[in-house]
Amino acid sequence: MDDIHFFKIETNHIKPRKGSVLIAEPFLRDAVFESSIVLLTEHNEEGTIGFVLNKPLNTSMQEIIQDFPEGNFSVSLGGPVASNSLHYIHTLGERIPGSIHVYDKVYWGGDFDALKKLIQAGKIKEHEVRFFIGYSGWEPRQLERELSENSWLVTYIDTDKIMRHSDKKLWYNVLSKLGPRYKMWINAPADPSLN
């Protein structure tokens, strides 16, 4: 009988790059990365930067920055690096000077004061910007090593999922659309030795 590796990642020939997402394999036991989806905002010979999309925090921007304008904006744990730093992605393009285009309609960072002024003026909707505490980072070639160990699946998801879905169900929802092999990941036991 053939040795069937149900949980081995099928090669889909998608290489990590800016705008792709990493989907954690089901047995990745890490407080931050377990059942996570990470949007990559930078990937080059100097390393990789990204933000975990589906680890919402029970806090508001007003609790983080006292003079921040009112609004129910999503705040998530972006990753374990620089956990005292604030980052954001948005779909505002050049309305935020200094923004970096990531993928489709998604941009990263830019002039924070300009962002605050637009929010104060009521010109930004809550689904147009997402905030993150900390970020996810990999040193040069570190991510490639993790990929060779089947820790991550690389794919793309649409802008709507990136910007509107910050809850823990995102991992399940994305996997359920990637085919039967990955549907099995959803039902994988927390500890495979107990299966």
Side-chain angles (χ1 to χ4, degrees):
M1 182 183 232
D2 289 333
D3 186 19
I4 300 173
H5 300 284
F6 285 113
F7 298 108
K8 185 174 181 191
I9 293 171
E10 288 179 328
T11 302
N12 60 4
H13 305 293
I14 298 176
K15 301 288 184 193
R17 67 179 201 174
K18 184 163 64 170
S20 61
V21 294
L22 305 177
I23 303 176
E25 59 91 2
F27 306 121
L28 185 60
R29 296 292 163 235
D30 179 285
V32 175
F33 293 123
E34 182 176 357
S35 300
S36 68
I37 295 186
V38 182
L39 172 68
L40 300 185
T41 54
E42 192 64 65
H43 180 71
N44 55 41
E45 64 280 352
E46 296 175 11
T48 305
I49 295 174
F51 299 98
V52 178
L53 295 175
N54 59 331
K55 301 288 178 173
L57 296 173
N58 188 22
T59 190
S60 68
M61 282 300 296
Q62 292 76 26
E63 292 173 289
I64 297 166
I65 299 175
Q66 285 187 336
D67 66 342
F68 198 81
E70 287 298 318
N72 188 25
F73 294 96
S74 167
V75 181
S76 298
L77 176 63
V81 182
S83 58
N84 60 344
S85 63
L86 179 69
H87 307 268
Y88 65 99
I89 60 172
H90 57 87
T91 56
L92 303 165
E94 295 177 1
R95 291 170 64 194
I96 306 296
S99 299
I100 298 168
H101 183 247
V102 175
Y103 168 73
D104 191 26
K105 298 174 186 171
V106 180
Y107 290 75
W108 171 31
D111 185 326
F112 191 66
D113 288 331
L115 175 71
K116 284 170 58 178
K117 285 176 186 172
L118 287 170
I119 292 172
Q120 183 73 46
K123 295 183 176 178
I124 295 181
K125 297 180 178 134
E126 290 161 354
H127 69 271
E128 292 179 303
V129 63
R130 290 192 57 186
F131 295 95
F132 300 92
I133 301 297
Y135 67 93
S136 302
W138 290 263
E139 294 178 353
R141 295 179 296 283
Q142 180 184 358
L143 180 56
E144 282 73 14
R145 285 194 302 272
E146 292 181 15
L147 290 169
S148 72
E149 296 164 356
N150 286 313
S151 295
W152 303 99
L153 169 67
V154 183
T155 191
Y156 289 90
I157 60 176
D158 63 43
T159 296
D160 187 63
K161 282 189 176 65
I162 290 169
M163 298 305 298
R164 292 181 184 260
H165 300 274
S166 64
D167 65 14
K168 296 176 183 178
K169 294 178 185 173
L170 181 61
W171 187 80
Y172 300 97
N173 292 341
V174 171
L175 283 173
S176 69
K177 293 178 175 31
L178 291 178
R181 173 182 292 265
Y182 298 112
K183 283 184 182 179
M184 295 186 70
W185 281 21
I186 295 169
N187 299 314
D191 183 349
S193 66
L194 298 177
N195 194 11

